[in-house]
Amino acid sequence: MMDRLTTVLGVGGIGCFAVAFLLSGAYPYAITDGREPEAGWDEIAKDVSPDFKDMAVRFPGGFAGLEGGPDAAKAGAPEDAWRAAYAKAIRRGRDIYIAEACWHCHSQYVRPVANEDIRFGKVRSSRDDNNVAQRPVLWGTRRVGPDLTHEGGLRSNDWHAAHLLDPQSTSPGSVMPRYEWYFADGWQVARRVDPAVAARERLDPATARAVSGVYASEDEAKAEMARIAASLPDERSSEKTRMSVVRAKGPTPDGVAVLAYLQWLGTWEAPPKEGGAE
Amino acid sequence: MSSITASPAGDAAHDGAAESAVPLVAKNLVKLHLIASILWMISSMTWGFLASLQFLHAYPAEGIEWFSFGRIRLLHTNEIAYGCLVNGFIGCLYYVVPRLTGRKVLSAGLGLLVFWVWQFLTVATSVGQLLGKTQALEWGETPTGFKPGTFELNYIPVDFLIEVGAVLVALQFMTPIVKAMKERMYVSLWYISAGIVWLILTYVMGNTLVEWNFPGSSGAAASGLYIHDLVGLFVTPMGWGMMYFFVPIILRKPIWSHALSVIGFWSLAFFYPLNGVHHYLLSSIPMSVQYGAVISTMAVEIVVTTVIVNFFGTMWGRGRAIHSNLTIRWFYTGMILYFITCLQCAVHTTLSVQKVIHFTDWVPGHAHLVMLGVFSFWIIGMTQWLWPRMTGNEWYSRRLNHWQYWLTLIGLFTMFVDLLAAGVIHGYMLDALSPWMDIVRAMYPFWLLRTIAGGMILAGQILFFWNLWKTARTPKPYDHRWDLVDAGGAA
């Protein structure tokens, strides 16, 4: 009777499939993630990372394009406004991470072997990954680039921006693709270095040093320049004449979202269980 | 068990010139699907080749959003799975199922519909991935059509439509199988009918759970289950089902042992799907589940051995066919590579080997051996056997077919060994805490060789397509002497 179609389909087709599903799908779910509710966006974005706040200053042009960005960037914005903008930004960044298939070159999965905890940081527990940013799961499949589980806070925003725009600028020889479309032309306030200072510090006298973030429009940058000029004390008033608005590349709202996601990675961990150690 | 002795070798007499007046086989559907399969194979390999250039700092489209490396790499894998393998298998099913059941498929009109729907979905998948509508599910990056993890529609719901397509395929082929089930049920039909059911179940399971239900580690478990079920419960049974049909027909003798084929089928059904979690070993998935996956992966090797023994038993006494018949040569090369692949699985599923090779180029090396070296080889072999019969024309050039064989085989084997070596070096450098860029630099020579090997493989398939095209276009009656594998019909 092993060869009847009904047996083949019933026992083989459905039966074996179901057994495997129960043993290696339903069972692990039941004893791990199924036990606790999955952490939502609000929960994982409740501690706004200082790097995210820094983005509002550094990339004001892109930041203003984030959902909730303008509210958060207002002077003295309440923490709730920040949280709302943060949750939306890391979610947008996560979606781009999926769309660009960053997860085909980067893992988010530190193993307890091969010195990975030394290189990448703490081995994550299933509770730490029981959150909405890991659904669909982003453990990855190949490490052409390093693991990103604990990327948040590891590097500065400027480093990430430069790296995303052109990975070889920070990591010569890197095979990571350039992501130029997450950057747009913007305007920045720049200051000419005093020739005497430049000579002393062996700087190129023509180098313009940035004193503001990257704005999306020239007018905003000019307004910022006026603000900076007004705030300079009298003894530095000569600097005013050496300030100008120059073109600069800055991350678009999508670019800021990617950076927000990268700077979020690993900063959230499941709170310890009540009633003692696991 | 009288029914399983209805070996397809008995049908051999009907081949070629003896085709009956009422066509049992819808030749146009066979041809359409096969040519689509080869075209998708070439397309997929082109993306793969281009993607490999990224690693040599030579990718021409770098900086262009839609053709960024991450996106085209998805096209490479998804087109081979949904474009090449699915079309290839469906094409062969149009030949095999009517032959084995003695009945026509449900409807030729439905066949055309399914053909075009399937091509549309494969194109929609590729376009969607270029546009960034990818789903984060390995081997199932076909767009859900929803924003990740939500129910907000943002693209054509490809996943859902593939499911509809799969049900139509099931109707098409299950109709003759169900009608014939009382009379004869040759082992190929078990594999084929189970494979169709498994495809539907697997696809629904993987595409919904990982996206909407299971986060983190349980999502990874379900994702591993999906990856493995897709290969093990759809591609593998289809492939073996075809082998059980074509090998006896071409060698003109029955399969060596029917008992072994029964064992092979049931142990595949039982052990294969239990392997899933071995894609995420040394992870936060419960250890008991990981060990279960390791043990069943090893068990699969035993199963595979029974199947291989069966096919080499069948070959016994007809060894010359390897030399004289290119189809048989593709088939048996594929089987040897299958054996190597599975032996590899049994070894590298152990945690101590995983420690070194996981996340390295070893894995793509292994994957190419299975997806190209086994299943694509079989599809090429079947296409070579069917094409002259379906067009009625003699090959435009048999020599080109030999060129294809050697280019593909040498290219693949070079790539395999190359990536394995790269993987081991990567793994030990990781353990040794070498700076990441040192690891990347150490990979350059391997990546260069991979590109060259990939170029050879791609060139082989382009020759093949050219040959198929010219064969269909050049009327010249097919020479049946080539069929006489044991009579020394030299190639």
Side-chain angles (χ1 to χ4, degrees):
Chain A
M1 293 320 282
M2 299 268 282
D3 55 321
R4 287 280 304 280
L5 183 66
T6 37
T7 320
V8 167
L9 295 188
V11 180
I14 298 175
C16 291
F17 179 88
V19 168
F21 173 70
L22 287 176
L23 288 180
S24 45
Y27 171 66
Y29 177 75
I31 63 173
T32 58
D33 303 316
R35 290 185 156 183
E36 281 175 80
E38 163 195 283
W41 292 107
D42 295 339
E43 162 74 17
I44 61 176
K46 97 180 162 298
D47 301 318
V48 181
S49 109
D51 290 309
F52 184 66
K53 294 189 172 171
D54 177 64
M55 285 176 207
V57 182
R58 209 167 284 271
F59 315 122
F63 196 90
L66 290 180
E67 230 183 307
D71 292 337
K74 275 195 199 115
E79 201 61 17
D80 275 348
W82 280 104
R83 285 195 193 109
Y86 190 44
K88 295 201 178 83
I90 55 181
R91 178 172 180 177
R92 185 166 172 179
R94 195 274 315 244
D95 291 354
I96 294 172
Y97 188 88
I98 291 175
E100 293 289 1
C102 308
W103 53 285
H104 274 313
C105 274
H106 291 283
S107 57
Q108 291 188 27
Y109 163 9
V110 183
R111 303 180 305 158
V113 290
N115 287 324
E116 289 189 13
D117 50 342
I118 300 179
R119 188 193 285 271
F120 298 130
K122 182 178 157 257
V123 175
R124 266 169 99 78
S125 71
S126 66
R127 292 185 71 231
D128 293 337
D129 280 337
N130 185 6
N131 67 63
V132 62
Q134 280 288 354
R135 179 172 56 76
V137 58
L138 292 175
W139 282 3
T141 176
R142 171 79 178 83
R143 272 188 199 138
V144 179
D147 189 275
L148 297 179
T149 308
H150 299 283
E151 188 65 19
L154 200 67
R155 313 245 186 203
S156 71
N157 285 336
D158 276 345
W159 188 93
H160 277 302
H163 181 255
L164 197 63
L165 176 62
D166 179 9
Q168 295 223 44
S169 66
T170 58
S171 318
S174 174
V175 293
M176 176 161 149
R178 298 194 300 267
Y179 289 96
E180 291 160 24
W181 49 96
Y182 293 124
F183 294 83
D185 284 331
W187 279 266
Q188 206 175 17
V189 179
R191 186 186 62 186
R192 298 239 163 253
V193 181
D194 188 310
V197 177
R200 193 172 64 235
E201 293 183 11
R202 298 191 184 174
L203 295 173
D204 174 1
T207 309
R209 290 247 300 266
V211 294
S212 84
V214 185
Y215 288 86
S217 80
E218 195 173 0
D219 290 343
E220 282 169 286
K222 282 193 172 140
E224 177 65 11
M225 184 167 78
R227 249 189 322 261
I228 297 173
S231 68
L232 283 175
D234 285 346
E235 64 270 23
R236 289 175 61 195
S237 62
S238 66
E239 283 177 26
K240 287 178 195 165
T241 55
R242 290 206 291 272
M243 279 197 293
S244 62
V245 165
V246 298
R247 281 180 162 277
K249 273 214 186 287
T252 60
D254 278 339
V256 176
V258 174
L259 303 192
Y261 176 66
L262 289 173
Q263 296 288 29
W264 167 80
L265 284 172
T267 57
W268 184 82
E269 273 180 14
K273 263 197 181 153
E274 276 171 46
E278 219 184 322
Chain B
M1 275 197 218
S2 60
S3 52
I4 52 167
T5 52
S7 149
D11 293 8
H14 301 302
D15 280 356
E19 202 73 70
S20 67
V22 187
L24 188 61
V25 171
K27 287 185 178 178
N28 67 324
L29 290 173
V30 178
K31 282 188 283 185
L32 272 177
H33 277 287
L34 289 183
I35 203 74
S37 165
I38 302 301
L39 280 173
W40 281 118
M41 189 190 289
I42 292 176
S43 171
S44 156
M45 287 177 178
T46 307
W47 295 119
F49 181 77
L50 288 172
S52 78
L53 295 177
Q54 172 74 37
F55 295 83
L56 307 177
H57 299 124
Y59 178 46
E62 193 176 355
I64 302 175
E65 175 172 2
W66 287 1
F67 294 97
S68 175
F69 166 82
R71 304 186 190 199
I72 65 160
R73 182 233 184 259
L74 298 168
L75 268 55
H76 174 57
T77 51
N78 284 260
E79 286 183 1
I80 210 73
Y82 299 95
C84 169
L85 293 182
V86 173
N87 269 308
F89 286 140
I90 293 182
C92 296
L93 283 180
Y94 276 116
Y95 184 81
V96 173
V97 171
R99 278 300 168 99
L100 280 175
T101 57
R103 286 174 173 78
K104 287 196 256 184
V105 294
L106 179 59
S107 138
L110 177 65
L112 275 179
L113 177 76
V114 167
F115 175 79
W116 288 112
V117 166
W118 204 270
Q119 309 320 310
F120 167 75
L121 291 177
T122 319
V123 171
T125 296
S126 296
V127 172
Q129 288 167 347
L130 293 179
L131 295 176
K133 310 294 181 191
T134 299
Q135 180 186 11
L137 172 66
E138 203 180 358
W139 281 112
E141 291 94 344
T142 47
T144 54
F146 297 94
K147 273 187 73 183
T150 69
F151 290 105
E152 298 163 44
L153 212 59
N154 69 357
Y155 189 66
I156 309 165
V158 176
D159 277 357
F160 175 71
L161 294 173
I162 286 186
E163 204 48 62
V164 174
V167 171
L168 293 180
V169 170
L171 286 177
Q172 181 79 311
F173 295 109
M174 290 309 284
T175 308
I177 294 178
V178 168
K179 279 190 195 150
M181 71 189 252
K182 292 254 158 47
E183 305 152 30
R184 44 180 173 175
M185 188 68 188
Y186 178 62
V187 67
S188 288
L189 291 179
W190 310 9
Y191 278 103
I192 290 168
S193 47
I196 291 175
V197 171
W198 281 327
L199 173 67
I200 297 174
L201 293 176
T202 300
Y203 203 78
V204 174
M205 183 272 295
N207 279 281
T208 49
L209 285 188
V210 181
E211 189 80 23
W212 286 289
N213 304 93
F214 288 9
S217 70
S218 52
S223 166
L225 192 62
Y226 168 80
I227 299 172
H228 214 81
D229 279 1
L230 203 62
V231 178
L233 293 186
F234 173 65
V235 179
T236 306
M238 286 293 161
W240 283 114
M242 306 279 170
M243 287 303 106
Y244 277 111
F245 175 82
F246 280 105
V247 168
I249 277 199
I250 297 175
L251 294 180
R252 289 171 193 264
K253 61 189 287 205
I255 194 82
W256 188 56
S257 157
H258 284 294
L260 274 186
S261 63
V262 177
I263 295 175
F265 175 81
W266 285 107
S267 36
L268 174 132
F270 184 73
F271 286 117
Y272 235 119
L274 290 173
N275 286 1
V277 169
H278 75 194
H279 291 262
Y280 298 101
L281 293 176
L282 293 167
S283 69
S284 58
I285 296 173
M287 249 6 245
S288 54
V289 180
Q290 295 188 39
Y291 285 130
V294 171
I295 291 165
S296 44
T297 306
M298 292 175 166
V300 165
E301 177 57 16
I302 299 170
V303 178
V304 165
T305 309
T306 65
V307 178
I308 297 281
V309 165
N310 206 359
F311 275 90
F312 277 83
T314 308
M315 164 70 94
W316 199 255
R318 294 277 204 282
R320 263 192 73 82
I322 286 274
H323 175 67
S324 61
N325 187 304
L326 210 47
T327 296
I328 286 292
R329 199 190 294 173
W330 281 109
F331 287 173
Y332 277 80
T333 311
M335 287 179 206
I336 293 171
L337 297 184
Y338 190 78
F339 187 74
I340 299 178
T341 310
C342 294
L343 194 62
Q344 236 195 334
C345 290
V347 174
H348 73 203
T349 190
T350 55
L351 297 188
S352 32
V353 180
Q354 271 301 301
K355 170 185 159 187
V356 179
I357 59 138
H358 194 63
F359 281 138
T360 71
D361 270 337
W362 176 294
V363 181
H366 171 74
H368 278 94
L369 204 67
V370 198
M371 295 311 260
L372 173 58
V374 184
F375 299 108
S376 304
F377 272 26
W378 289 351
I379 284 178
I380 294 170
M382 292 186 283
T383 307
Q384 289 204 345
W385 196 80
L386 287 170
W387 197 252
R389 286 170 175 76
M390 294 296 110
T391 59
N393 290 343
E394 173 55 37
W395 280 107
Y396 168 71
S397 159
R398 283 177 181 266
R399 175 185 279 258
L400 276 184
N401 284 343
H402 282 263
W403 271 96
Q404 178 208 9
Y405 177 81
W406 288 111
L407 277 173
T408 314
L409 184 66
I410 295 172
L412 173 67
F413 210 75
T414 310
M415 181 184 287
F416 173 65
V417 175
D418 175 64
L419 291 180
L420 247 51
V424 172
I425 294 175
H426 187 146
Y428 280 110
M429 288 183 83
L430 177 85
D431 198 3
L433 293 173
S434 308
W436 198 267
M437 272 316 298
D438 284 4
I439 302 183
V440 172
R441 287 197 193 94
M443 296 294 111
Y444 289 163
F446 297 98
W447 285 339
L448 177 65
L449 188 57
R450 165 177 69 185
T451 301
I452 296 170
M456 287 174 69
I457 298 170
L458 176 59
Q461 307 331 302
I462 292 174
L463 291 185
F464 186 41
F465 177 72
W466 169 250
N467 205 7
L468 291 175
W469 188 254
K470 291 300 265 186
T471 300
R473 286 303 168 105
T474 324
K476 182 165 78 166
Y478 178 61
D479 183 352
H480 280 277
R481 271 177 315 150
W482 296 108
D483 291 345
L484 300 177
V485 291
D486 46 346

